[in-house]
Amino acid sequence: MKKIVLLIISVISFFTYNINVYAKDTVYSLNKYNDEKLTIIDKSYNSKNEIDGFIVAGTYNKKDTEKEENPQVIYAKMDTYGNTDWVHSYKSEDAVSSNISNILYLYNDENKINGYGLIISIKDTNDTLKNIILKIDLKGKIIEEKSASIDDNIIISKLISVNNGEYIGIANSDDKAYLVKYDKDFNLVYKKEYQEDNVSSASYKDIVPIRKEDNISGYVTIVNIKKNDLEQVKLINNDLDGNVVSTIKDNFESNADPRLEMANDGFILYGITNELKLSNNKSTSYFINIYNSSLEEKNDSIGTTAIAKDKVLKLFPIKDDNKIKEYLLLYINDNDSSIEIVKINMDGEEESKIKKINNSYYDITNFNACNGILYIIGQINCPKDDDCEYNNNSLFLISDQDKVIEVKQSDNNNIIIGTCVFVGLIVLLVVLRRIFKKNKK
């Protein structure tokens, strides 16, 4: 009888364990300013050039009056356990509001990381937008504050590091798009305006280098243009001097919202597709296209899970000896609003789901990974009728990559029913066995 009871307990425990698809995660917050929100995360380094945590950055709202909320820049260093090493805010004297688009590494003469460059846009009291570059050391101390050396009201939206400390990126004004390049000391090398006949407005959205073996052969950019009152998205090939060489693709789906990620050879294009027939009458998932260094599309794949198209979609490369070995893709499941992360192989195909996080309060903006641990950032949004520990504060969520065993709701119900039937049969056998023994006596 004891053996039978133990068997029943084991069976129930087995099914209960597998039905639970959500893993335990640990949440931290800076919890220092009003309405904090983190948008940028990258690995931090110590004086020995070793990874020792993460640099995070974003904004908080400083309320100058009861009605006005003016975003200001916040940046901090967190260790891998969620502890805050240091946290600082930035506000220019004449700034009404500030924002941050990038954190870049600074390099010394030995090509070792010795600080960080923060690309900050500020709006002054005359509603003029300007760019500054804030250089800080590894401990967060400001080394230098300098102008980005481009005209007012042109905002840098992204810079990337290339060729041992040089930086290239994209910038936009109200109706014009520019490629900008800086040397390792953030001195402007060039500013190239995107030009095309009959284009009334243009805006760069993303940029990534085209890698060929260990070299960069050029850049790929995504540009939104308005031509003859029609809007169009283009994938553009640029040379090393920022000149437009050719159009790679210009037939995107509407609302595709394409973006770029680097590859060992070529680059990756990914975004939103609406051409699927999924459960619950949903059709939006993701697409991933692999291009080689000759700009040929080698592989294309699409997701099988309905994702929220108005939420974060982020592809992150996992490296080994500075070579990408696989990718992680984060999205928000449109069926239950959970945060999901899947493993993507080098052909752009989904291999497995590695994380599913119950999402009641999190506004996710970005993530990173280190040594098998996921680090997810954003903002905690606590409903007014709920008593949360945090209220509209920054989110720094640490989650391991435990294998997810996901069970569909229909299968879940079948498992429960099957378990109950199984346990009932065992109980029935025990009762019948007792009756048989009693009659035999």
Side-chain angles (χ1 to χ4, degrees):
M1 183 62 187
K2 289 183 179 180
K3 292 182 179 180
I4 294 175
V5 172
L6 288 174
L7 176 61
I8 293 173
I9 293 173
S10 298
V11 170
I12 294 174
S13 298
F14 173 79
F15 283 113
T16 302
Y17 174 79
N18 283 280
I19 289 169
N20 181 17
V21 300
Y22 297 106
K24 291 183 179 180
D25 307 289
T26 308
V27 174
Y28 299 90
S29 177
L30 298 180
N31 200 18
K32 185 173 182 179
Y33 300 96
N34 293 323
D35 204 18
E36 302 166 347
K37 186 172 187 177
L38 298 178
T39 56
I40 301 170
I41 180 171
D42 213 336
K43 295 176 178 66
S44 64
Y45 287 80
N46 59 23
S47 58
K48 298 179 181 179
N49 217 46
E50 301 169 333
I51 296 173
D52 65 347
F54 293 91
I55 292 291
V56 297
T59 58
Y60 69 97
N61 277 325
K62 182 178 181 181
K63 298 182 179 180
D64 291 337
T65 68
E66 292 183 358
K67 296 182 179 180
E68 294 183 2
E69 292 185 347
N70 300 314
Q72 307 299 334
V73 168
I74 184 174
Y75 54 97
K77 179 179 177 180
M78 313 279 285
D79 67 19
T80 54
Y81 300 100
N83 301 309
T84 303
D85 287 347
W86 45 260
V87 56
H88 300 291
S89 62
Y90 171 83
K91 185 180 185 300
S92 177
E93 290 184 1
D94 60 346
V96 175
S97 64
S98 306
N99 209 338
I100 182 168
S101 62
N102 271 104
I103 293 181
L104 298 162
Y105 296 122
L106 306 180
Y107 298 88
N108 60 19
D109 293 337
E110 298 176 349
N111 201 33
K112 293 183 178 180
I113 296 171
N114 65 348
Y116 312 97
L118 281 59
I119 313 302
I120 298 173
S121 62
I122 62 174
K123 179 188 288 188
D124 64 20
T125 53
N126 297 318
D127 284 340
T128 301
L129 292 170
K130 300 179 180 180
N131 298 276
I132 67 156
I133 299 169
L134 196 66
K135 298 167 73 173
I136 62 174
D137 63 18
L138 295 176
K139 296 183 179 180
K141 181 180 178 181
I142 296 177
I143 303 171
E144 182 182 4
E145 179 181 330
K146 63 185 300 181
S147 168
S149 302
I150 57 177
D151 297 337
D152 292 346
N153 298 316
I154 299 175
I155 298 301
I156 299 173
S157 56
K158 183 178 182 180
L159 281 183
I160 55 176
S161 177
V162 294
N163 296 330
N164 298 324
E166 293 183 328
Y167 309 95
I168 190 167
I170 52 178
N172 301 294
S173 64
D174 286 339
D175 56 3
K176 295 180 180 180
Y178 304 87
L179 285 185
V180 292
K181 186 175 183 179
Y182 293 87
D183 64 18
K184 67 180 300 181
D185 293 319
F186 289 105
N187 298 308
L188 184 65
V189 177
Y190 66 66
K191 182 187 72 173
K192 297 284 181 73
E193 180 184 344
Y194 179 84
Q195 294 183 332
E196 184 179 340
D197 292 341
N198 301 319
V199 168
S200 57
S201 66
S203 175
Y204 278 122
K205 181 186 175 183
D206 208 349
I207 183 172
V208 75
I210 304 169
R211 294 197 176 275
K212 187 174 183 179
E213 297 178 350
D214 292 330
N215 299 313
I216 295 175
S217 59
Y219 306 100
V220 173
T221 54
I222 294 174
V223 61
N224 298 335
I225 65 170
K226 190 174 183 180
K227 190 173 185 179
N228 299 325
D229 294 328
L230 296 177
E231 295 183 357
Q232 188 179 24
V233 180
K234 288 189 174 185
L235 182 66
I236 301 293
N237 174 25
N238 302 85
D239 63 21
L240 292 174
D241 293 323
N243 302 307
V244 174
V245 178
S246 62
T247 298
I248 304 171
K249 180 181 175 70
D250 60 4
N251 59 339
F252 289 95
E253 294 179 41
S254 60
N255 303 317
D257 194 19
R259 63 225 45 205
L260 300 165
E261 186 51 69
M262 61 181 178
N264 294 325
D265 178 78
F267 65 95
I268 291 183
L269 172 73
Y270 70 106
I272 299 293
T273 179
N274 299 293
E275 299 296 325
L276 300 176
K277 292 183 180 180
L278 301 171
S279 60
N280 300 327
N281 295 320
K282 296 180 183 296
S283 62
T284 300
S285 193
Y286 65 85
F287 73 85
I288 298 178
N289 296 345
I290 308 294
Y291 286 81
N292 62 18
S293 55
S294 299
L295 308 183
E296 302 168 326
E297 185 179 333
K298 305 300 293 183
N299 297 88
D300 64 276
S301 61
I302 56 178
T304 58
T305 301
I307 69 173
K309 60 183 178 182
D310 58 339
K311 301 293 184 180
V312 64
L313 178 67
K314 176 70 175 179
L315 189 66
F316 181 80
I318 301 296
K319 296 182 180 180
D320 186 8
D321 293 331
N322 211 30
K323 290 289 184 180
I324 300 170
K325 62 177 183 177
E326 63 188 13
Y327 296 86
L328 299 179
L329 180 68
L330 181 148
Y331 56 79
I332 305 299
N333 189 308
D334 200 28
N335 292 314
D336 59 8
S337 297
S338 63
I339 305 162
E340 294 188 352
I341 298 178
V342 295
K343 184 182 294 186
I344 305 293
N345 64 25
M346 299 302 291
D347 292 325
E349 300 168 342
E350 181 179 325
E351 285 195 342
S352 61
K353 187 176 295 181
I354 64 170
K355 182 58 56 177
K356 186 178 179 72
I357 301 173
N358 194 7
N359 181 21
S360 299
Y361 307 129
Y362 307 145
D363 179 11
I364 304 302
T365 58
N366 211 332
F367 83 112
N368 207 296
C370 184
N371 297 325
I373 306 297
L374 299 169
Y375 298 85
I376 302 171
I377 63 168
Q379 187 179 51
I380 304 170
N381 292 310
C382 184
K384 294 181 179 179
D385 57 349
D386 201 338
D387 184 18
C388 299
E389 182 179 355
Y390 305 108
N391 184 20
N392 291 92
N393 283 339
S394 56
L395 170 69
F396 187 83
L397 187 151
I398 301 177
S399 180
D400 62 24
Q401 292 187 23
D402 288 339
K403 178 74 175 181
V404 173
I405 305 174
E406 185 172 21
V407 182
K408 296 179 181 179
Q409 186 60 41
S410 58
D411 296 335
N412 193 356
N413 293 335
N414 291 335
I415 289 172
I416 294 173
I417 294 171
T419 303
C420 293
V421 171
F422 179 75
V423 172
L425 287 174
I426 291 177
V427 172
L428 180 61
L429 288 174
V430 172
V431 173
L432 291 175
R433 186 166 180 262
R434 285 185 174 181
I435 293 173
F436 177 76
K437 285 185 177 181
K438 185 176 180 180
N439 292 336
K440 190 175 180 180
K441 291 179 179 179

